[in-house]
Each structure stands twice: as C-alpha cells, then as structure tokens.
Amino acid sequence: MSQRHISIFLFIFFISFVYYIFLFGIETFNPFFTDWLWKGGVSAQNYFGWAFFKNEEWLFPPGKIESFNLSQPTSIGLTDAIPLWAFFFKCFQPFLPNTFQYTGYFLFSNILLLGIVAYYWAKRLTTHFYLQCFFILFIILSPPFLYRLHWNPALSSHWIILGALYTFLNPWQFKNWAFWAIIASLIHPYILAMVFTLILFHFISSPTPNLKKRFVQLIFIFILSFFTLYLTGYFVTGSSLDDLGFGSNQLNLISLFNGYIFHPPFLSYDFNFDSEEGLLYLGFGGIILFVFALFFYFKNLQTFKENPIFNNIYLILAVVLLSIYALASPIRLLNTELFSIFIYDYPPFKQIAGIFRATGRFGWPLFYVLNIFIFAVLFKTLKTKILIPLLSVCLIVQVVDLFPQYTEMHKQNITDVPQIQNYLKPIQNAKWQQITKPNANLILFPSRNIFSFEKDQRWHITWERYIPPAFYITYAAYQYQMRTNYAHSSRMNVDKWQELLFNHLNLLKQGKQMHNTLYIFFDEISPEELSSVVHPDLFKKIEIIDGYPFLPICTKSEKHCVENF
C-alpha cells in the first residue's frame, strides 16, 4: 500500500473516530454499557430484539424470536437489530453477560465504511489529495446519514448504497453484486430493495454474448437474497407483506432543500405532514455547491457528454424510478397536495407498493448521486486554487447549519444518560427480583384503550406507548429474562396481538389467571377501571410497584391458576 493510501485511510479513521466520539461518546465503545440506548423507541427496540434473541435457544429459521412478542413470533430482522452482527455474537452467547451491546461499534463501522467507499468514489473524480478529503468529509457529514445514525442504526448503513452505485459504473461482475445483495439482506430490507433495483438496471444495461449465463446469475442473486431474508426471520409472522400507512412517510418535493428536522439556522420550512423518512436535505453548504455545479454544468454541457458518470442512462433511470416511488402518492410540496398518481388507486398495485411503508427512504440513492454530480462537475470545471477556498467555506457553512443536530445528539447520547440511569435504577431493587421469575411470562396491558381497542389504532402498541413508562416494563422483562407480550417490530399482526390480550383479560374477568404469568397494568389505568375489568377476588391480590399495578405470579396449587385459555 502506498504512502498516499495510508495517509487517506488514517485521515478517514481519524475523522470517523472524532465524529463518532462527539456524537455518541467514548463510553459507547464499552460493550457492557447500554444506558445510552434507552433514549428512544428505535434504539431500544433494536437492543431488545438482540437481547431477547441472545437469551433464547436457536430456533428455525435461525433469526426467529418467540419471547419478545408472545402473541406471535418476531425475529432479529423484524426488530431491526442488525442480523449480520446478531448472528455472529449469538455464537458466543454462553460467554456473554446479560448486558451486552454491539450498536456502538456498528455505528462507528458505518461511519468508517462510508468514508472508505467515498474515497473510492473520490479517486474516480479527482487525483488531488485535498479535494478527495473534501468529498469524503461532505459524504460523512451528510444530513440523511446523520439522522439515521441517531434514530435507526440499521438504516445508517449508507455505505452499501454508495458502494452499489460505484459497482454500477463498473462492468458486470456477479461476485460484486452477490456481495452487496447478501450484506444488504443481513442489514435491512429497505437497503436491499435499493440494491436490487440497481442490480436489475445494471443487468439490463450490460451487453453480453452469454445472456443465459448472466440471467442465471441474476436469478441466483435474487434467490440467495430471499433465502437469507427467510433465515433472518423476515417472514415468521405469517402476516401479509404490505405494511400500514403507504404514502404517510414519503419524499416531499422540497426535501433536498429543507432541514426542518435539524432546526438549522438557514433553511427550515415547517410542515405538518410527517415526512422525516424523506429527509434528503443537502445542507446549506451543499446547496451552495449544488447551485455552482448546475451553473458550470450547463455552461460546459459539451464537456460532460462523454463522461460515464453523467451519461449513464440506466443509472439515471434506476435513481429516477426509486425517487418516484419515494414520492408515493399524493405528490406533496410542503403541506400542499399537488396531484395523485392514479396507478396507486388500483388495489393490487397499491398492495405491492405498500410492501414498504416509509417510501421516502428510497430517495437516498438520489441524494448520493446528486453529491457525486456536484463534486464531479466542480472538480472538472474549477481550478484547485479556487476549489479549495470554495469547499472550505461551504464545509464551514455545512457544519454551522447542522450544528444544532450535532449538539442535540451529543446531549441525548452523553449528557442525558445519567437521567436515564436514575430512571431505570429502581428495576434493580429487591422487590422487582421478588415478583419476577426467569422464563415466566410478563403480560402488560399497555393502555386503558385496550378495553376499547380498535384494529387501526396501531400507535397504541408502538411508538407513543413504547417510550417510557411502558418501555420501563419491557426493560424489566429483559433484565429478569422473562417473556413478554409488549414489543414493537415490523409487520406485527395486530389481530393476534389484540387476541392474546383479550384472552388474558377474559381470564381475569372470570377470576382466573394464567400459570407462570406476571400481569402488569399501565400506570394510567385507574383502580376504578381495574376493578371493573378484573374479578373482585383477583382485584384484592393486586399490588403496586413503582406506580404500576400488578398481579403476582400464581402457583399451580391455587385454584384460580390455569394452564391454558
């Protein structure tokens, strides 16, 4: 390896390390430190998926989990717990403590790998060392990547997207596409879908005298990827593939120029529609560079006609198709609905399109292609003595623009952790140890709304009810190695979830309770409400712990203790 390569890799490692430490803190490299993961629903969900998976015996398919949602199986894939890493570390389960996390190292590796893949792109764009460094910095600091680092670790694997785009510009190689497809299958299906799209368009665009062989390779990649998804447990729920809320987390037409989620000092347009999944904000520094790039591109249009980065029609079609899907329907500009795409009105097509609820994520390839376009144009048309000052100023502007988000992440992952530690500390006390039992069931009634629960009220069992205080109980189940009904994962069958709760509720009304089961009620359920739904004989047995009413585990010798419904 040349001195130049060593220098650039050291630069990438240093920048990645400093960036990570500022956002997450050095303590998150400690695999036994998990308190920072309780800051919100997604990171807690990811860790719980891994923790319950680790404590179970191997099942089939290998990614299946039965203790983290008693109403139906879930899996390491459906809890977004990074199957690639989970499978590896579960092999060492006998040697791991109850508290063990790999999220910190995973997030750092995503920053590092994104920088490395960006370097290979930079080499394609320029031979100048400092210009390569600027490109790497803008990619690592990109707002969509930053947002995913904080809120959804698995979806921060943007290096896979950037790597797949790089592979697209090279001649077809089966082993390269198979690698990206398998890695994406073991990280997240949304990223896999983007990789699949690029594979398909690259297949179409690659002339070959042996079309049959190429077609067999394509089919083999698809089969291998779906088999990997099956082993990871993405199909264990048995529910339909289409998800709820298609079009509710879409790309907005202003997404590239709106940083409202980050509350930046420059560009921030608030709108009521939930569209954080469609965050493609270029950053104010990136927008300035984009304007320069457009100007010089059209000024020197003839210069770029022969450049494979600019005239690859199949790559452009793939990215445009993904972006149209990301926009979903109706197409929106801020809060204004412009028009609907009629094809989504047909139930079969809507069901297929609805496989992915958060369609806004499919705009990420567009974001990275635009960044490549910006730097390719500027590197080609401007002299280095102009570029370095311009990029320096824009980089500073970019950092200033995103600094509110940097400080917020620093606060939540580092400054606020002692508050979380204090919040969870009571679970360690002797009383919790007395009322819990390893391998027993913990049934949580999460809200008073369960008594009049409607099928489409999915939020009552996910985000609004997943963060404290109900999350507190799930943490107790994990801490004492119990099985619980209260979990959030993708593709949940709400009917089954509701049926399990109603079966237990009917038992309690009859004065019976399930053997080996601890019942805990959400702390907003008043004693009066409890007395109306729980048999008087059982109501007398209800106790309180940390503000939560609970019904202790019964023994087989007690008459009201039953083995099944």
Side-chain angles (χ1 to χ4, degrees):
M1 183 179 290
S2 68
Q3 185 65 39
R4 184 186 182 90
H5 281 87
I6 294 174
S7 298
I8 200 76
F9 285 124
L10 287 175
F11 169 78
I12 294 170
F13 183 87
F14 175 76
I15 292 299
S16 301
F17 184 78
V18 171
Y19 191 45
Y20 177 86
I21 294 303
F22 179 80
L23 296 178
F24 297 100
I26 191 69
E27 197 171 5
T28 58
F29 278 129
N30 179 356
F32 312 122
F33 177 69
T34 60
D35 293 344
W36 65 289
L37 297 171
W38 313 130
K39 61 181 177 283
V42 177
S43 59
Q45 166 201 323
N46 299 161
Y47 181 74
F48 283 145
W50 151 247
F52 282 86
F53 174 69
K54 173 177 70 71
N55 291 333
E56 282 193 7
E57 298 293 327
W58 284 101
L59 303 172
F60 190 84
K64 186 178 181 181
I65 307 172
E66 292 185 337
S67 60
F68 188 44
N69 188 351
L70 291 173
S71 65
Q72 60 205 272
T74 184
S75 72
I76 197 67
L78 292 173
T79 54
D80 288 355
I82 313 146
L84 178 64
W85 289 57
F87 284 139
F88 175 79
F89 283 107
K90 184 165 181 173
C91 295
F92 302 96
Q93 187 271 343
F95 311 103
L96 299 179
N98 188 42
T99 300
F100 180 87
Q101 61 89 15
Y102 47 75
T103 307
Y105 286 97
F106 174 75
L107 290 173
F108 174 70
S109 71
N110 279 345
I111 300 173
L112 184 64
L113 288 169
L114 184 65
I116 291 172
V117 177
Y119 168 57
Y120 281 94
W121 265 109
K123 286 201 304 180
R124 186 185 284 266
L125 302 179
T126 180
T127 59
H128 195 284
F129 177 83
Y130 293 115
L131 296 184
Q132 291 175 348
C133 290
F134 275 111
F135 178 78
I136 293 167
L137 283 170
F138 270 92
I139 293 296
I140 288 178
L141 298 176
S142 60
F145 176 59
L146 172 67
Y147 184 73
R148 287 300 155 188
L149 279 175
H150 188 48
W151 286 114
N152 198 320
L155 284 169
S156 68
S157 299
H158 286 200
W159 59 276
I160 299 175
I161 301 171
L162 196 62
L165 289 170
Y166 184 85
T167 301
F168 198 104
L169 294 186
N170 297 324
W172 173 279
Q173 282 196 320
F174 166 73
K175 62 180 181 180
N176 290 347
W177 281 125
F179 169 79
W180 291 121
I182 296 303
I183 290 295
S185 303
L186 290 167
I187 298 293
H188 204 284
Y190 273 84
I191 296 178
L192 175 63
M194 298 175 211
V195 171
F196 268 179
T197 304
L198 293 174
I199 291 174
L200 183 60
F201 275 85
H202 196 214
F203 169 80
I204 297 171
S205 68
S206 303
T208 175
N210 196 340
L211 182 60
K212 183 178 179 181
K213 179 182 177 182
R214 182 72 56 81
F215 183 73
V216 170
Q217 291 176 343
L218 177 69
I219 297 301
F220 184 75
I221 291 173
F222 284 2
I223 292 174
L224 192 60
S225 299
F226 278 105
F227 183 65
T228 304
L229 291 177
Y230 171 76
L231 294 179
T232 305
Y234 280 103
F235 311 118
V236 297
T237 63
S239 57
S240 62
L241 288 178
D242 60 306
D243 202 2
L244 298 177
F246 170 72
S248 64
N249 290 276
Q250 62 192 137
L251 187 67
N252 197 286
L253 286 176
I254 202 171
S255 293
L256 287 166
F257 310 103
N258 185 14
Y260 80 104
I261 293 174
F262 295 156
H263 306 291
F266 300 121
L267 288 177
S268 180
Y269 307 104
D270 288 328
F271 52 96
N272 299 325
F273 202 76
D274 180 18
S275 193
E276 75 276 2
E277 297 289 0
L279 173 69
L280 290 191
Y281 185 47
L282 288 169
F284 198 69
I287 291 171
I288 294 172
L289 293 178
F290 182 55
V291 172
F292 275 101
L294 282 178
F295 173 78
F296 288 110
Y297 176 75
F298 287 109
K299 183 179 180 181
N300 303 277
L301 195 57
Q302 294 299 322
T303 306
F304 298 108
K305 281 190 174 181
E306 301 302 320
N307 192 311
I309 295 176
F310 299 98
N311 65 6
N312 194 314
I313 186 64
Y314 290 98
L315 176 59
I316 294 171
L317 285 174
V319 172
V320 168
L321 179 65
L322 288 168
S323 301
I324 291 173
Y325 181 57
L327 288 167
S329 181
I331 306 297
R332 288 182 169 89
L333 178 65
L334 291 178
N335 290 319
T336 304
E337 293 185 8
L338 300 181
F339 59 89
S340 296
I341 300 178
F342 72 91
I343 196 169
Y344 288 127
D345 295 331
Y346 295 98
F349 192 85
K350 188 171 185 178
Q351 188 173 21
I352 294 172
I355 291 175
F356 296 101
R357 173 182 55 84
T359 58
R361 299 170 183 173
F362 288 89
W364 295 338
L366 172 65
F367 174 85
Y368 288 107
V369 166
L370 281 179
N371 273 272
I372 292 165
F373 165 81
I374 290 169
F375 283 89
V377 170
L378 295 179
F379 290 165
K380 186 74 173 177
T381 56
L382 293 179
K383 295 180 179 180
T384 303
K385 64 181 181 180
I386 298 175
L387 270 173
I388 290 180
L390 174 64
L391 294 175
S392 299
V393 170
C394 289
L395 182 62
I396 293 171
V397 171
Q398 188 86 335
V399 171
V400 171
D401 190 37
L402 300 176
F403 200 74
Q405 180 66 13
Y406 297 150
T407 54
E408 178 62 23
M409 289 179 65
H410 180 89
K411 177 178 177 293
Q412 291 193 27
N413 292 307
I414 302 172
T415 310
D416 290 348
V417 167
Q419 299 177 24
I420 300 173
Q421 291 170 330
N422 292 331
Y423 177 75
L424 296 174
K425 193 173 182 179
I427 290 182
Q428 312 294 335
N429 66 35
K431 190 170 183 181
W432 275 101
Q433 296 177 27
Q434 291 170 5
I435 72 170
T436 55
K437 178 183 174 183
N439 299 316
N441 300 326
L442 191 159
I443 298 295
L444 173 67
F445 291 92
S447 166
R448 65 167 61 96
N449 293 289
I450 189 59
F451 304 129
S452 59
F453 194 78
E454 297 180 11
K455 182 177 178 180
D456 61 349
Q457 288 179 305
R458 193 171 88 150
W459 295 121
H460 283 297
I461 60 171
T462 55
W463 299 118
E464 291 181 4
R465 302 298 179 188
Y466 199 81
I467 302 173
F471 147 79
Y472 188 82
I473 304 302
T474 308
Y475 181 85
Y478 141 72
Q479 186 70 26
Y480 295 104
Q481 299 183 29
M482 300 181 71
R483 299 154 53 88
T484 184
N485 69 308
Y486 196 69
H488 171 71
S489 62
S490 301
R491 305 299 194 259
M492 278 185 64
N493 187 316
V494 179
D495 290 331
K496 289 183 179 179
W497 186 89
Q498 181 184 8
E499 181 183 0
L500 177 73
L501 275 180
F502 282 164
N503 286 338
H504 280 282
L505 190 60
N506 288 332
L507 276 182
L508 298 181
K509 287 180 178 179
Q510 299 168 27
K512 301 175 183 179
Q513 66 181 101
M514 189 65 69
H515 168 65
N516 206 34
T517 300
L518 172 67
Y519 292 93
I520 298 184
F521 302 87
F522 196 71
D523 62 353
E524 71 175 15
I525 302 174
S526 67
E528 291 76 19
E529 288 175 299
L530 272 181
S531 64
S532 67
V533 296
V534 176
H535 192 277
D537 292 340
L538 293 183
F539 185 73
K540 296 175 184 177
K541 298 177 181 291
I542 288 179
E543 301 177 40
I544 303 292
I545 185 169
D546 295 343
Y548 293 90
F550 75 94
L551 192 59
I553 297 173
C554 64
T555 61
K556 289 184 179 180
S557 60
E558 298 178 82
K559 292 182 179 180
H560 67 279
C561 198
V562 298
E563 294 283 349
N564 48 56
F565 296 116

